[in-house]
Amino acid sequence: MSLAILGLTAEQERLYRYLLRSVRTDVDTAGAELAMPNVRSVAAQLRALGLVDDTLTATSPEVAVDLLVRRRLEQTRRRLGELTLAWDVLTELAEEHRSGRTVQMVEHIPDGTAVVQRILRLLTDEPGELLHLRERVLLATTESTTAPFTGLLARGLRSRTLVALRALETPEQEAHARRWHAVGDLHRVTTEPVRQLALVNRTVAFVQADPADPRAGALQIRQSGLVAILVDLFDGMWSRARDLDDPSPSPIERMVLHALTRHDTDDAAARSLNISVRKFRAHVADLMSRVGATTRFQAGLLAKERGWL
């Protein structure tokens, strides 16, 4: 049976079989007996495959076949990975067929207004879901964008917006977020690092083209693997974020949280705050209930995620 099925060339197989039979030989003798003028090159190839060592001793058949099988499996895995790109090509072709325009897997849209219009057009065709990650609540909205978006919400669009905590530091920003929250664009607040991101129907992503320049437009991404990663990122941040109506802790509650993380016992923590142990424990119980923690250690972690520590 030929070893070609495992990826060896005819010359590689001839030399390997020869070296299995001839335990002690040299490369020139092997080349002469096999009438193989390029024997040194073939021997180097076998060494690279791990089938012979530097002394031209052949690896045992068991080890050699195992190496070749693993190599073929890795080659097959890579080729299958390349074939999965065909689904992205199918998505691209189907979109071109549907829309009648050229579609690219990654496309630069240089103008911010054009980005908004592209998102609205995609949602108008299929008002499924919009996920938004923002560094701040945008106040500069116009009737040309506000009215269509409100109409999409009325048609059943599921919209979630995650904003940075600092975005709600002014009353105007918070009021703007609450207005949209009330009409169906659900808002949450995060203390994690935020970059501009929009995800349409979990299939198309829009990211800021240049993080240092908001005027550089956005990249529209249709590559399914990358979009899936961005969707998972958003879902994880959303699950860790807090609701708009989740009040920040009071000054004494912040002090309790800090004491909880710095002292080993309730007595020591209460003394550091000059309050009774009973009062300290009551504050801890309230905080654990608010963050949904079952242990004090978990309460500290969740409080840190919310930016309370």
Side-chain angles (χ1 to χ4, degrees), residues 41-63:
S41 172
V42 177
Q45 295 166 10
L46 291 178
R47 278 195 296 270
L49 292 171
L51 301 189
V52 300
D53 61 19
D54 291 337
T55 65
L56 217 61
T57 300
T59 304
S60 68
E62 294 83 2
V63 174

Side-chain angles (χ1 to χ4, degrees), residues 277-297:
V277 174
R278 181 178 179 181
K279 187 68 173 176
F280 176 80
R281 288 174 177 168
H283 281 304
V284 171
D286 287 342
L287 288 166
M288 289 177 62
S289 176
R290 283 174 58 187
V291 298
T294 56
T295 67
R296 295 186 176 200
F297 178 75

